[in-house]
Amino acid sequence: MCNLYSNTTSQELARKVFDRISDRAGNVQPGEVYPDQLGAIIRHDGDGFELVKARWGMPSPKFALKTERDPGVTNVRNLSSGHWRRWLGKEHRCLVPLTSFAEPRGKGKGNQWFAHSDDKPMFFAGIEVRDWTSVRKVKEGETTDDLYAFLTCEPNAEVKAVHPKAMPVILTEQEEWDSWMGGRSAAELQRPLPDGTLKLIEQPV
């Protein structure tokens, strides 16, 4: 499962790719994004879109919580779960810009990074919820946050060689971005990139 990615995409790219987008993210620092950190997402805003920062990790299912603390769920696979179905509609869709992502090689072996072999713009197929109140960290206590996560699917050949269980759902074409944000069935877009689409790199880009 993907628990680390890099986004060095400029905010100008989001404005070029999407009409009617408002930039409300402030200064988005390029670099690596870890779970429970703030990341840039594109989400619905009335008849248009907005670029904002949100906290990576959607609310966990209640059965998975052993204490009041909810660290969040970064990757979503089971679309038939009632817990996730409520957030699969158009109004909760978002796109998460990235330039590379990592999968663990194994204990003590570090991470393998992946980037698009043709350097195309990439977005995770994400879901988001706003103003969610929970205890993310004990030292913070109860907080109210905008949260996001993204879908995963079967891995393609490049990812499978490193991480055979799953890879993020990555969208690289305008038609896919429009379909995802337009509410097309999540199951139809929950698919891996074609084999040969990704290149293996040693450092994030």
Side-chain angles (χ1 to χ4, degrees), residues 41-193:
I41 66 171
I42 295 169
R43 67 186 187 185
H44 289 281
D45 177 35
D47 294 329
F49 303 104
E50 61 179 356
L51 179 71
V52 300
K53 291 177 185 174
R55 201 166 182 172
W56 185 15
M58 286 286 282
S60 302
K62 287 186 178 180
F63 71 81
L65 298 177
K66 297 180 180 179
T67 67
E68 183 184 7
R69 176 177 175 268
D70 180 2
V73 177
T74 55
N75 299 172
V76 177
R77 182 73 176 269
N78 183 9
L79 303 187
S80 64
S81 163
H83 179 76
W84 298 119
R85 280 201 307 270
R86 56 180 157 167
W87 293 315
L88 292 177
K90 174 182 174 180
E91 66 275 13
H92 290 287
R93 300 280 181 93
C94 70
L95 291 164
V96 185
L98 74 145
T99 44
S100 58
F101 70 96
E103 295 289 1
R105 289 184 173 125
K107 188 174 181 180
K109 297 180 180 180
N111 293 310
Q112 176 64 62
W113 286 89
F114 299 88
H116 198 285
S117 57
D118 293 328
D119 298 321
K120 280 188 173 183
M122 298 190 295
F123 295 90
F124 292 131
I127 58 175
E128 57 95 12
V129 64
R130 307 176 198 189
D131 298 323
W132 186 269
T133 300
S134 62
V135 177
R136 306 283 292 194
K137 295 179 179 178
V138 174
K139 64 181 180 181
E140 289 183 351
E142 197 172 76
T143 61
T144 300
D145 305 281
D146 292 351
L147 307 174
Y148 75 97
F150 43 80
L151 305 191
T152 62
C153 59
E154 291 292 325
N156 70 355
E158 296 87 75
V159 177
K160 188 174 184 178
V162 178
H163 187 69
K165 292 185 178 180
M167 70 172 288
V169 175
I170 297 174
L171 310 176
T172 62
E173 303 294 338
Q174 185 74 53
E175 183 274 332
E176 294 175 329
W177 308 330
D178 292 342
S179 292
W180 179 251
M181 297 302 281
R184 183 179 170 185
S185 168
E188 291 182 28
L189 290 166
Q190 191 183 31
R191 60 197 181 200
L193 288 172

